[in-house]
Amino acid sequence: MVTRSEENYLKAIYHLGKQGTVAVSTNAIAEKIESKASSVTDMIKKLAEKNLANYIKYQGVTLTESGRLAAALVIRKHRLWEVFLVEKLNFTWDEVHDVAEQLEHIKSPKLVNELDALLGFPTHDPHGDPIPDKDGHYTPLKSVNILEVEPGNEGVLARVIDSSDVFLKYLNKNNLALGDTIKVLDFEPFDHSLTIETATKKMIISNAVAKNLFISQEL
Amino acid sequence: MVTRSEENYLKAIYHLGKQGTVAVSTNAIAEKIESKASSVTDMIKKLAEKNLANYIKYQGVTLTESGRLAAALVIRKHRLWEVFLVEKLNFTWDEVHDVAEQLEHIKSPKLVNELDALLGFPTHDPHGDPIPDKDGHYTPLKSVNILEVEPGNEGVLARVIDSSDVFLKYLNKNNLALGDTIKVLDFEPFDHSLTIETATKKMIISNAVAKNLFISQEL
DNA sequence: AATCATTTTTAGTCTCATCTAAAAATATTT
DNA sequence: AAATATTTTTAGATGAGACTAAAAATGATT
Ligand SMILES: [Mn+2]
Ligand SMILES: [Mn+2]
Ligand SMILES: [Mn+2]
Ligand SMILES: [Mn+2]
């Protein structure tokens, strides 16, 4: 059995190390999971013991094949629940994360698959993140960071990386939502900020914000 | 904060002691929760410490007002999730209990209330158990144990007490479901069994089974 | 290459929720 | 009312998961 805590560590390693294929440092995990390095070392040993992670002292962790699958299935649940909360229970995209963080640990294969069906087999969650299938696979949607877009070009907001409620509330406040068409007007070399235009207005977004916005451009 | 384990104890006390108003013994709780008496004593002290239970050594436990409310809200969640699983996710009534046992501990007031709305504010779960409202109140549906019914009379199966999957599978096997009309034909004094008649057939049910069936009789 | 800084691991402690075994209190029989 | 049986509590131990402080390893800088 994989415990709740173990699942959270698997997810962190998966996210930090390109699906767990690249070695992740103890400190990086500690920060992500808001714990201490010593706690992480303990847990990593346990994961290695259970053949979910590959661990060499002082050289970070990667996930084994089964660790990677386990992580992907937790992420699958997390994202399906997020869709459920938004589509069926009137949650906004900035309200779903904490509840999904709990729901992702519910154990019932039937529940996950039926939920998937109820929602019409969605491919992406409310933040544009792809939903892995039963085998842990997904095809990331073709989107590009808004900072890579040449001024003058436009695209549809397809994904936001930061799912924290502070960031999403900022987007709400500025009327930016998934699916909105955004045109890049100007890049400012001094502070790396960006002037963009939406259906409703023109605005300047900081580099910190821009880093989190991904748009898809139809060819 | 009330932990998952505390919630399970609150529920047990609530169920065993007429909503926690009547003193429940340490052993009774231990059996219900499948733990040991010594563990129960420990937990009861903790609940008393948190003002969720009234505890006098050697004299059992009752729930305080806030303990009763906390218990009722967990039960509310449990039963709403059961309805959700059956109504929306194609679970059968014998499959829901274990999953609901996990889901009942998810913390999010909005989630519960939206779920309630999605389901159309149901008053009973798939086993005929009443669903408490936000204040922990409910009106138990007027039903009578089938053993109290005079032979010759009939009623509609409205509630089953045992929600274990073995019992529910027994009912499935014999084509007995909530809402079915059941006529009591004969009571056997020797083993206290009962002969009943449904739309499809006549059958004998043991006293152990009969104890768990409640029917409502319209006047 | 030697020193200093950072990261990671180890050692030891804590809380929560459990358990077993023994002691104490209560309940039931004779 | 004693003796016996049962229930409940206490005492002490364990494992999971977290922490702090100190030691060890690695990495960076002179
Ligand atoms: Mn989580
Ligand atoms: Mn998301
Ligand atoms: Mn439970
Ligand atoms: Mn039920």
Side-chain angles (χ1 to χ4, degrees):
Chain A
M1 224 234 28
V2 184
T3 69
R4 164 178 300 235
S5 185
E6 285 165 358
E7 286 186 340
N8 285 332
Y9 276 90
L10 289 172
K11 247 191 5 169
I13 298 167
Y14 186 97
H15 280 137
L16 290 168
K18 303 203 176 283
Q19 308 181 164
T21 56
V22 159
V24 178
S25 77
T26 302
N27 263 357
I29 298 169
E31 187 173 335
K32 180 113 190 170
I33 241 159
E34 293 183 297
S35 65
K36 296 299 159 74
S38 54
S39 309
V40 174
T41 302
D42 282 354
M43 183 55 87
I44 287 172
K45 284 178 182 167
K46 205 180 305 175
L47 294 176
E49 195 58 49
K50 291 189 176 186
N51 277 301
L52 294 166
N54 308 114
Y55 171 53
I56 307 171
K57 265 192 197 177
Y58 295 103
Q59 288 179 222
V61 223
T62 59
L63 295 180
T64 62
E65 199 49 54
S66 61
R68 196 172 0 268
L69 177 61
L73 292 182
V74 176
I75 291 162
R76 168 174 164 77
K77 286 190 278 181
H78 183 105
R79 293 180 179 165
L80 282 172
W81 280 114
E82 285 191 346
V83 174
F84 171 74
L85 293 171
V86 167
E87 297 290 316
K88 303 290 181 183
L89 298 190
N90 305 307
F91 277 61
T92 53
W93 70 345
D94 56 294
E95 294 175 320
V96 298
H97 194 77
D98 291 348
V99 187
E101 207 58 45
Q102 300 177 60
L103 287 163
E104 71 188 2
H105 302 292
I106 301 292
K107 266 136 193 116
S108 166
K110 172 158 182 155
L111 174 57
V112 186
N113 296 325
E114 290 288 344
L115 189 63
D116 197 13
L118 175 73
L119 300 171
F121 307 102
T123 57
H124 294 84
D125 81 1
H127 312 105
D129 295 315
I131 299 175
D133 64 23
K134 294 176 237 268
D135 305 314
H137 299 128
Y138 60 84
T139 37
L141 118 176
K142 259 266 218 12
S143 62
V144 59
N145 183 249
I146 199 166
L147 288 163
E148 321 263 287
V149 176
E150 287 300 313
N153 291 10
E154 62 177 32
V156 169
L157 184 58
R159 186 179 187 193
V160 303
I161 297 296
D162 188 331
S163 295
S164 71
D165 84 314
V166 263
F167 179 63
L168 297 174
K169 279 187 158 66
Y170 163 86
L171 295 180
N172 289 345
K173 195 162 63 185
N174 289 283
N175 282 302
L176 281 169
L178 242 55
D180 288 1
T181 295
I182 300 178
K183 184 171 187 179
V184 177
L185 297 183
D186 187 43
F187 174 76
E188 172 53 56
F190 173 65
D191 63 356
H192 297 191
S193 68
L194 220 54
T195 308
I196 62 174
E197 181 175 23
T198 67
T200 58
K201 63 174 173 183
K202 226 178 274 193
M203 66 182 289
I204 295 173
I205 58 174
S206 71
N207 184 265
V209 168
K211 268 185 190 149
N212 283 291
L213 302 183
F214 283 68
I215 66 180
S216 65
Q217 300 172 288
E218 32 276 276
L219 346 165
Chain B
M1 225 231 32
V2 183
T3 68
R4 163 179 301 236
S5 187
E6 286 165 358
E7 286 186 341
N8 285 332
Y9 276 89
L10 288 173
K11 248 191 4 169
I13 299 167
Y14 187 96
H15 281 136
L16 290 168
K18 305 208 175 279
Q19 310 181 162
T21 56
V22 160
V24 177
S25 79
T26 302
N27 262 358
I29 298 169
E31 187 173 335
K32 181 113 192 172
I33 240 158
E34 293 183 297
S35 65
K36 296 298 159 74
S38 54
S39 309
V40 174
T41 304
D42 281 355
M43 183 56 87
I44 286 173
K45 284 178 182 167
K46 205 181 304 175
L47 293 176
E49 194 58 48
K50 291 190 176 186
N51 277 301
L52 295 166
N54 308 113
Y55 171 54
I56 307 171
K57 265 192 197 179
Y58 295 102
Q59 288 179 222
V61 222
T62 59
L63 296 180
T64 62
E65 199 48 54
S66 60
R68 195 171 2 267
L69 177 60
L73 292 182
V74 175
I75 291 162
R76 169 174 164 77
K77 286 190 278 181
H78 184 104
R79 294 180 178 165
L80 282 173
W81 280 116
E82 285 190 345
V83 174
F84 171 74
L85 293 171
V86 167
E87 298 289 316
K88 303 290 179 181
L89 298 190
N90 305 307
F91 277 61
T92 53
W93 71 344
D94 55 295
E95 295 176 320
V96 298
H97 194 77
D98 291 349
V99 187
E101 207 58 44
Q102 300 177 58
L103 286 163
E104 71 188 2
H105 302 292
I106 301 292
K107 267 135 192 114
S108 165
K110 172 158 182 155
L111 174 57
V112 186
N113 295 325
E114 291 288 343
L115 189 63
D116 196 13
L118 175 73
L119 301 171
F121 307 101
T123 57
H124 294 84
D125 81 3
H127 314 103
D129 296 314
I131 299 174
D133 64 23
K134 294 176 237 266
D135 304 313
H137 300 127
Y138 60 85
T139 38
L141 119 175
K142 260 266 221 4
S143 63
V144 58
N145 183 250
I146 199 166
L147 288 163
E148 320 264 286
V149 176
E150 286 300 313
N153 292 10
E154 62 177 31
V156 169
L157 184 57
R159 185 179 188 192
V160 302
I161 296 296
D162 188 330
S163 295
S164 72
D165 83 314
V166 263
F167 179 63
L168 297 174
K169 279 186 159 66
Y170 162 86
L171 296 181
N172 290 345
K173 195 163 63 186
N174 290 284
N175 283 303
L176 281 170
L178 242 55
D180 288 1
T181 295
I182 299 178
K183 183 172 186 177
V184 176
L185 297 183
D186 187 44
F187 174 76
E188 174 53 57
F190 173 64
D191 63 357
H192 296 191
S193 68
L194 219 54
T195 307
I196 62 173
E197 181 173 25
T198 67
T200 58
K201 63 174 171 183
K202 225 178 277 194
M203 65 183 289
I204 295 174
I205 58 175
S206 71
N207 183 263
V209 168
K211 269 186 189 149
N212 283 290
L213 303 182
F214 283 69
I215 65 180
S216 65
Q217 300 172 289
E218 34 277 273
L219 346 165

PDB file of all heavy atoms in Angstrom, chain A residues 68-92:
ATOM      1  N   ARG A  68       6.725   5.962 -11.224  1.00  0.00           N
ATOM      2  CA  ARG A  68       6.226   6.925 -12.197  1.00  0.00           C
ATOM      3  C   ARG A  68       4.736   6.713 -12.467  1.00  0.00           C
ATOM      4  O   ARG A  68       3.952   7.655 -12.506  1.00  0.00           O
ATOM      5  CB  ARG A  68       7.025   6.780 -13.505  1.00  0.00           C
ATOM      6  CG  ARG A  68       6.888   7.934 -14.449  1.00  0.00           C
ATOM      7  CD  ARG A  68       7.829   7.917 -15.672  1.00  0.00           C
ATOM      8  NE  ARG A  68       8.740   6.798 -15.767  1.00  0.00           N
ATOM      9  CZ  ARG A  68       9.983   6.791 -15.275  1.00  0.00           C
ATOM     10  NH1 ARG A  68      10.452   7.841 -14.643  1.00  0.00           N
ATOM     11  NH2 ARG A  68      10.741   5.726 -15.430  1.00  0.00           N
ATOM     12  N   LEU A  69       4.356   5.439 -12.603  1.00  0.00           N
ATOM     13  CA  LEU A  69       2.938   5.147 -12.822  1.00  0.00           C
ATOM     14  C   LEU A  69       2.093   5.580 -11.619  1.00  0.00           C
ATOM     15  O   LEU A  69       1.049   6.214 -11.772  1.00  0.00           O
ATOM     16  CB  LEU A  69       2.736   3.650 -13.086  1.00  0.00           C
ATOM     17  CG  LEU A  69       1.280   3.206 -13.251  1.00  0.00           C
ATOM     18  CD1 LEU A  69       0.622   3.908 -14.433  1.00  0.00           C
ATOM     19  CD2 LEU A  69       1.192   1.685 -13.425  1.00  0.00           C
ATOM     20  N   ALA A  70       2.567   5.236 -10.432  1.00  0.00           N
ATOM     21  CA  ALA A  70       1.825   5.603  -9.221  1.00  0.00           C
ATOM     22  C   ALA A  70       1.631   7.119  -9.150  1.00  0.00           C
ATOM     23  O   ALA A  70       0.537   7.605  -8.851  1.00  0.00           O
ATOM     24  CB  ALA A  70       2.551   5.099  -7.981  1.00  0.00           C
ATOM     25  N   ALA A  71       2.694   7.855  -9.450  1.00  0.00           N
ATOM     26  CA  ALA A  71       2.605   9.321  -9.416  1.00  0.00           C
ATOM     27  C   ALA A  71       1.600   9.819 -10.448  1.00  0.00           C
ATOM     28  O   ALA A  71       0.750  10.662 -10.152  1.00  0.00           O
ATOM     29  CB  ALA A  71       3.977   9.930  -9.686  1.00  0.00           C
ATOM     30  N   ALA A  72       1.696   9.266 -11.669  1.00  0.00           N
ATOM     31  CA  ALA A  72       0.803   9.720 -12.737  1.00  0.00           C
ATOM     32  C   ALA A  72      -0.661   9.460 -12.387  1.00  0.00           C
ATOM     33  O   ALA A  72      -1.532  10.268 -12.703  1.00  0.00           O
ATOM     34  CB  ALA A  72       1.164   9.029 -14.051  1.00  0.00           C
ATOM     35  N   LEU A  73      -0.916   8.343 -11.696  1.00  0.00           N
ATOM     36  CA  LEU A  73      -2.300   8.035 -11.344  1.00  0.00           C
ATOM     37  C   LEU A  73      -2.832   8.980 -10.276  1.00  0.00           C
ATOM     38  O   LEU A  73      -4.017   9.312 -10.265  1.00  0.00           O
ATOM     39  CB  LEU A  73      -2.427   6.573 -10.906  1.00  0.00           C
ATOM     40  CG  LEU A  73      -2.193   5.563 -12.045  1.00  0.00           C
ATOM     41  CD1 LEU A  73      -2.376   4.138 -11.552  1.00  0.00           C
ATOM     42  CD2 LEU A  73      -3.109   5.849 -13.243  1.00  0.00           C
ATOM     43  N   VAL A  74      -1.957   9.420  -9.373  1.00  0.00           N
ATOM     44  CA  VAL A  74      -2.398  10.407  -8.385  1.00  0.00           C
ATOM     45  C   VAL A  74      -2.704  11.733  -9.096  1.00  0.00           C
ATOM     46  O   VAL A  74      -3.712  12.384  -8.822  1.00  0.00           O
ATOM     47  CB  VAL A  74      -1.330  10.629  -7.295  1.00  0.00           C
ATOM     48  CG1 VAL A  74      -1.765  11.725  -6.343  1.00  0.00           C
ATOM     49  CG2 VAL A  74      -1.093   9.339  -6.522  1.00  0.00           C
ATOM     50  N   ILE A  75      -1.840  12.093 -10.027  1.00  0.00           N
ATOM     51  CA  ILE A  75      -2.050  13.339 -10.773  1.00  0.00           C
ATOM     52  C   ILE A  75      -3.322  13.234 -11.618  1.00  0.00           C
ATOM     53  O   ILE A  75      -4.096  14.186 -11.726  1.00  0.00           O
ATOM     54  CB  ILE A  75      -0.821  13.642 -11.647  1.00  0.00           C
ATOM     55  CG1 ILE A  75       0.350  14.012 -10.733  1.00  0.00           C
ATOM     56  CG2 ILE A  75      -1.108  14.747 -12.648  1.00  0.00           C
ATOM     57  CD1 ILE A  75       1.710  13.924 -11.388  1.00  0.00           C
ATOM     58  N   ARG A  76      -3.521  12.050 -12.192  1.00  0.00           N
ATOM     59  CA  ARG A  76      -4.765  11.816 -12.938  1.00  0.00           C
ATOM     60  C   ARG A  76      -5.977  12.091 -12.061  1.00  0.00           C
ATOM     61  O   ARG A  76      -6.889  12.823 -12.443  1.00  0.00           O
ATOM     62  CB  ARG A  76      -4.781  10.362 -13.435  1.00  0.00           C
ATOM     63  CG  ARG A  76      -6.122   9.867 -13.993  1.00  0.00           C
ATOM     64  CD  ARG A  76      -5.942   8.456 -14.580  1.00  0.00           C
ATOM     65  NE  ARG A  76      -7.192   7.741 -14.800  1.00  0.00           N
ATOM     66  CZ  ARG A  76      -8.010   7.985 -15.813  1.00  0.00           C
ATOM     67  NH1 ARG A  76      -7.714   8.927 -16.697  1.00  0.00           N
ATOM     68  NH2 ARG A  76      -9.139   7.302 -15.951  1.00  0.00           N
ATOM     69  N   LYS A  77      -5.963  11.543 -10.857  1.00  0.00           N
ATOM     70  CA  LYS A  77      -7.094  11.756  -9.949  1.00  0.00           C
ATOM     71  C   LYS A  77      -7.233  13.230  -9.586  1.00  0.00           C
ATOM     72  O   LYS A  77      -8.337  13.786  -9.619  1.00  0.00           O
ATOM     73  CB  LYS A  77      -6.917  10.908  -8.686  1.00  0.00           C
ATOM     74  CG  LYS A  77      -7.172   9.432  -8.917  1.00  0.00           C
ATOM     75  CD  LYS A  77      -7.225   8.654  -7.609  1.00  0.00           C
ATOM     76  CE  LYS A  77      -5.851   8.306  -7.102  1.00  0.00           C
ATOM     77  NZ  LYS A  77      -5.896   7.524  -5.839  1.00  0.00           N
ATOM     78  N   HIS A  78      -6.112  13.843  -9.244  1.00  0.00           N
ATOM     79  CA  HIS A  78      -6.140  15.262  -8.879  1.00  0.00           C
ATOM     80  C   HIS A  78      -6.838  16.091  -9.959  1.00  0.00           C
ATOM     81  O   HIS A  78      -7.736  16.883  -9.677  1.00  0.00           O
ATOM     82  CB  HIS A  78      -4.713  15.749  -8.659  1.00  0.00           C
ATOM     83  CG  HIS A  78      -4.604  17.176  -8.213  1.00  0.00           C
ATOM     84  ND1 HIS A  78      -4.311  17.527  -6.917  1.00  0.00           N
ATOM     85  CD2 HIS A  78      -4.771  18.341  -8.891  1.00  0.00           C
ATOM     86  CE1 HIS A  78      -4.302  18.841  -6.806  1.00  0.00           C
ATOM     87  NE2 HIS A  78      -4.561  19.361  -7.998  1.00  0.00           N
ATOM     88  N   ARG A  79      -6.430  15.868 -11.183  1.00  0.00           N
ATOM     89  CA  ARG A  79      -6.949  16.705 -12.272  1.00  0.00           C
ATOM     90  C   ARG A  79      -8.382  16.370 -12.646  1.00  0.00           C
ATOM     91  O   ARG A  79      -9.169  17.263 -12.978  1.00  0.00           O
ATOM     92  CB  ARG A  79      -5.995  16.611 -13.475  1.00  0.00           C
ATOM     93  CG  ARG A  79      -4.662  17.260 -13.125  1.00  0.00           C
ATOM     94  CD  ARG A  79      -3.619  17.239 -14.225  1.00  0.00           C
ATOM     95  NE  ARG A  79      -2.412  17.921 -13.734  1.00  0.00           N
ATOM     96  CZ  ARG A  79      -1.209  17.841 -14.305  1.00  0.00           C
ATOM     97  NH1 ARG A  79      -1.028  17.115 -15.403  1.00  0.00           N
ATOM     98  NH2 ARG A  79      -0.184  18.500 -13.772  1.00  0.00           N
ATOM     99  N   LEU A  80      -8.739  15.087 -12.565  1.00  0.00           N
ATOM    100  CA  LEU A  80     -10.132  14.726 -12.824  1.00  0.00           C
ATOM    101  C   LEU A  80     -11.039  15.361 -11.771  1.00  0.00           C
ATOM    102  O   LEU A  80     -12.101  15.900 -12.085  1.00  0.00           O
ATOM    103  CB  LEU A  80     -10.309  13.205 -12.819  1.00  0.00           C
ATOM    104  CG  LEU A  80      -9.857  12.477 -14.087  1.00  0.00           C
ATOM    105  CD1 LEU A  80      -9.900  10.960 -13.886  1.00  0.00           C
ATOM    106  CD2 LEU A  80     -10.724  12.872 -15.281  1.00  0.00           C
ATOM    107  N   TRP A  81     -10.610  15.317 -10.527  1.00  0.00           N
ATOM    108  CA  TRP A  81     -11.426  15.937  -9.475  1.00  0.00           C
ATOM    109  C   TRP A  81     -11.541  17.440  -9.707  1.00  0.00           C
ATOM    110  O   TRP A  81     -12.599  18.039  -9.469  1.00  0.00           O
ATOM    111  CB  TRP A  81     -10.834  15.642  -8.091  1.00  0.00           C
ATOM    112  CG  TRP A  81     -11.172  14.281  -7.548  1.00  0.00           C
ATOM    113  CD1 TRP A  81     -10.312  13.252  -7.305  1.00  0.00           C
ATOM    114  CD2 TRP A  81     -12.480  13.797  -7.172  1.00  0.00           C
ATOM    115  NE1 TRP A  81     -10.997  12.161  -6.799  1.00  0.00           N
ATOM    116  CE2 TRP A  81     -12.322  12.463  -6.708  1.00  0.00           C
ATOM    117  CE3 TRP A  81     -13.760  14.356  -7.185  1.00  0.00           C
ATOM    118  CZ2 TRP A  81     -13.398  11.685  -6.258  1.00  0.00           C
ATOM    119  CZ3 TRP A  81     -14.836  13.580  -6.726  1.00  0.00           C
ATOM    120  CH2 TRP A  81     -14.649  12.268  -6.276  1.00  0.00           C
ATOM    121  N   GLU A  82     -10.459  18.060 -10.149  1.00  0.00           N
ATOM    122  CA  GLU A  82     -10.540  19.504 -10.418  1.00  0.00           C
ATOM    123  C   GLU A  82     -11.584  19.800 -11.487  1.00  0.00           C
ATOM    124  O   GLU A  82     -12.365  20.747 -11.365  1.00  0.00           O
ATOM    125  CB  GLU A  82      -9.164  20.040 -10.856  1.00  0.00           C
ATOM    126  CG  GLU A  82      -8.183  20.183  -9.700  1.00  0.00           C
ATOM    127  CD  GLU A  82      -6.920  20.954 -10.071  1.00  0.00           C
ATOM    128  OE1 GLU A  82      -6.677  21.156 -11.283  1.00  0.00           O
ATOM    129  OE2 GLU A  82      -6.187  21.357  -9.167  1.00  0.00           O
ATOM    130  N   VAL A  83     -11.599  18.990 -12.534  1.00  0.00           N
ATOM    131  CA  VAL A  83     -12.608  19.180 -13.582  1.00  0.00           C
ATOM    132  C   VAL A  83     -14.001  18.997 -12.986  1.00  0.00           C
ATOM    133  O   VAL A  83     -14.904  19.801 -13.218  1.00  0.00           O
ATOM    134  CB  VAL A  83     -12.403  18.175 -14.740  1.00  0.00           C
ATOM    135  CG1 VAL A  83     -13.543  18.295 -15.747  1.00  0.00           C
ATOM    136  CG2 VAL A  83     -11.062  18.403 -15.414  1.00  0.00           C
ATOM    137  N   PHE A  84     -14.147  17.961 -12.196  1.00  0.00           N
ATOM    138  CA  PHE A  84     -15.442  17.696 -11.559  1.00  0.00           C
ATOM    139  C   PHE A  84     -15.923  18.891 -10.747  1.00  0.00           C
ATOM    140  O   PHE A  84     -17.068  19.333 -10.848  1.00  0.00           O
ATOM    141  CB  PHE A  84     -15.332  16.463 -10.663  1.00  0.00           C
ATOM    142  CG  PHE A  84     -16.536  16.210  -9.799  1.00  0.00           C
ATOM    143  CD1 PHE A  84     -17.720  15.721 -10.340  1.00  0.00           C
ATOM    144  CD2 PHE A  84     -16.484  16.468  -8.434  1.00  0.00           C
ATOM    145  CE1 PHE A  84     -18.836  15.492  -9.541  1.00  0.00           C
ATOM    146  CE2 PHE A  84     -17.593  16.244  -7.627  1.00  0.00           C
ATOM    147  CZ  PHE A  84     -18.771  15.755  -8.180  1.00  0.00           C
ATOM    148  N   LEU A  85     -15.017  19.424  -9.935  1.00  0.00           N
ATOM    149  CA  LEU A  85     -15.391  20.536  -9.060  1.00  0.00           C
ATOM    150  C   LEU A  85     -15.846  21.749  -9.867  1.00  0.00           C
ATOM    151  O   LEU A  85     -16.818  22.421  -9.515  1.00  0.00           O
ATOM    152  CB  LEU A  85     -14.209  20.910  -8.154  1.00  0.00           C
ATOM    153  CG  LEU A  85     -13.817  19.843  -7.124  1.00  0.00           C
ATOM    154  CD1 LEU A  85     -12.517  20.210  -6.421  1.00  0.00           C
ATOM    155  CD2 LEU A  85     -14.935  19.643  -6.097  1.00  0.00           C
ATOM    156  N   VAL A  86     -15.152  22.015 -10.965  1.00  0.00           N
ATOM    157  CA  VAL A  86     -15.510  23.173 -11.781  1.00  0.00           C
ATOM    158  C   VAL A  86     -16.767  22.904 -12.607  1.00  0.00           C
ATOM    159  O   VAL A  86     -17.694  23.715 -12.633  1.00  0.00           O
ATOM    160  CB  VAL A  86     -14.339  23.574 -12.706  1.00  0.00           C
ATOM    161  CG1 VAL A  86     -14.795  24.562 -13.767  1.00  0.00           C
ATOM    162  CG2 VAL A  86     -13.208  24.167 -11.878  1.00  0.00           C
ATOM    163  N   GLU A  87     -16.803  21.737 -13.246  1.00  0.00           N
ATOM    164  CA  GLU A  87     -17.897  21.443 -14.174  1.00  0.00           C
ATOM    165  C   GLU A  87     -19.211  21.114 -13.477  1.00  0.00           C
ATOM    166  O   GLU A  87     -20.280  21.448 -13.961  1.00  0.00           O
ATOM    167  CB  GLU A  87     -17.526  20.260 -15.069  1.00  0.00           C
ATOM    168  CG  GLU A  87     -16.324  20.497 -15.968  1.00  0.00           C
ATOM    169  CD  GLU A  87     -16.633  21.497 -17.071  1.00  0.00           C
ATOM    170  OE1 GLU A  87     -17.716  21.373 -17.668  1.00  0.00           O
ATOM    171  OE2 GLU A  87     -15.803  22.398 -17.292  1.00  0.00           O
ATOM    172  N   LYS A  88     -19.107  20.413 -12.349  1.00  0.00           N
ATOM    173  CA  LYS A  88     -20.332  19.912 -11.709  1.00  0.00           C
ATOM    174  C   LYS A  88     -20.698  20.627 -10.417  1.00  0.00           C
ATOM    175  O   LYS A  88     -21.850  20.619 -10.011  1.00  0.00           O
ATOM    176  CB  LYS A  88     -20.190  18.411 -11.416  1.00  0.00           C
ATOM    177  CG  LYS A  88     -19.886  17.546 -12.627  1.00  0.00           C
ATOM    178  CD  LYS A  88     -21.079  17.453 -13.570  1.00  0.00           C
ATOM    179  CE  LYS A  88     -20.762  16.568 -14.772  1.00  0.00           C
ATOM    180  NZ  LYS A  88     -21.907  16.542 -15.723  1.00  0.00           N
ATOM    181  N   LEU A  89     -19.708  21.189  -9.759  1.00  0.00           N
ATOM    182  CA  LEU A  89     -20.008  21.774  -8.446  1.00  0.00           C
ATOM    183  C   LEU A  89     -19.769  23.279  -8.347  1.00  0.00           C
ATOM    184  O   LEU A  89     -19.646  23.823  -7.237  1.00  0.00           O
ATOM    185  CB  LEU A  89     -19.226  21.040  -7.343  1.00  0.00           C
ATOM    186  CG  LEU A  89     -19.524  19.546  -7.158  1.00  0.00           C
ATOM    187  CD1 LEU A  89     -18.876  19.030  -5.883  1.00  0.00           C
ATOM    188  CD2 LEU A  89     -21.022  19.266  -7.106  1.00  0.00           C
ATOM    189  N   ASN A  90     -19.687  23.939  -9.498  1.00  0.00           N
ATOM    190  CA  ASN A  90     -19.610  25.404  -9.490  1.00  0.00           C
ATOM    191  C   ASN A  90     -18.425  25.993  -8.744  1.00  0.00           C
ATOM    192  O   ASN A  90     -18.505  27.101  -8.217  1.00  0.00           O
ATOM    193  CB  ASN A  90     -20.896  26.000  -8.901  1.00  0.00           C
ATOM    194  CG  ASN A  90     -22.129  25.507  -9.624  1.00  0.00           C
ATOM    195  OD1 ASN A  90     -22.204  25.608 -10.850  1.00  0.00           O
ATOM    196  ND2 ASN A  90     -23.061  24.956  -8.896  1.00  0.00           N
ATOM    197  N   PHE A  91     -17.325  25.247  -8.675  1.00  0.00           N
ATOM    198  CA  PHE A  91     -16.109  25.829  -8.120  1.00  0.00           C
ATOM    199  C   PHE A  91     -15.461  26.678  -9.205  1.00  0.00           C
ATOM    200  O   PHE A  91     -15.629  26.414 -10.400  1.00  0.00           O
ATOM    201  CB  PHE A  91     -15.117  24.733  -7.698  1.00  0.00           C
ATOM    202  CG  PHE A  91     -15.366  24.152  -6.329  1.00  0.00           C
ATOM    203  CD1 PHE A  91     -16.560  23.501  -6.040  1.00  0.00           C
ATOM    204  CD2 PHE A  91     -14.404  24.232  -5.331  1.00  0.00           C
ATOM    205  CE1 PHE A  91     -16.792  22.944  -4.768  1.00  0.00           C
ATOM    206  CE2 PHE A  91     -14.619  23.683  -4.074  1.00  0.00           C
ATOM    207  CZ  PHE A  91     -15.812  23.034  -3.791  1.00  0.00           C
ATOM    208  N   THR A  92     -14.715  27.708  -8.779  1.00  0.00           N
ATOM    209  CA  THR A  92     -13.929  28.459  -9.750  1.00  0.00           C
ATOM    210  C   THR A  92     -12.515  27.871  -9.776  1.00  0.00           C
ATOM    211  O   THR A  92     -12.128  27.154  -8.853  1.00  0.00           O
ATOM    212  CB  THR A  92     -13.879  29.952  -9.357  1.00  0.00           C
ATOM    213  OG1 THR A  92     -13.427  30.054  -8.008  1.00  0.00           O
ATOM    214  CG2 THR A  92     -15.261  30.567  -9.473  1.00  0.00           C
TER     215      THR A  92
END
